[in-house]
Amino acid sequence: MEQERICQTCKHFYQHYIKLARGTYNMCGSGHCVHPRLKFRYNNTKACQHYVLKEN
Ligand code: SF4
């Protein structure tokens, strides 16, 4: 199945999480991109020209 071309499916994207009081983590709707430089991105931001599909 083809992945949607958004930041969340790109190998340069690092997901952000919130730590809950009970010690578990919840995924945020955002993260950061490290290529070609560090920047904030929402999970569903449309892919840019540097997009590379993340391998699972
Ligand atoms: S901004 Fe571009 S390189 Fe960065 S995570 Fe999104 S698609 Fe990938």
Side-chain angles (χ1 to χ4, degrees):
M1 191 170 133
E2 191 170 318
Q3 290 286 339
E4 191 177 0
R5 289 176 62 89
I6 55 177
C7 287
Q8 190 177 25
T9 64
C10 175
K11 82 169 196 177
H12 302 302
F13 180 77
Y14 288 81
Q15 182 67 52
H16 288 176
Y17 294 87
I18 295 173
K19 186 177 182 183
L20 303 176
R22 61 180 185 266
T24 59
Y25 290 86
N26 264 12
M27 198 170 86
C28 297
S30 60
H32 64 273
C33 167
V34 297
H35 182 78
R37 64 192 169 282
L38 191 67
K39 53 199 176 285
F40 175 89
R41 286 291 182 266
Y42 289 104
N43 292 11
N44 61 358
T45 301
K46 286 185 87 173
C48 73
Q49 72 274 21
H50 303 293
Y51 179 86
V52 178
L53 179 63
K54 187 184 293 183
E55 292 182 26
N56 291 327

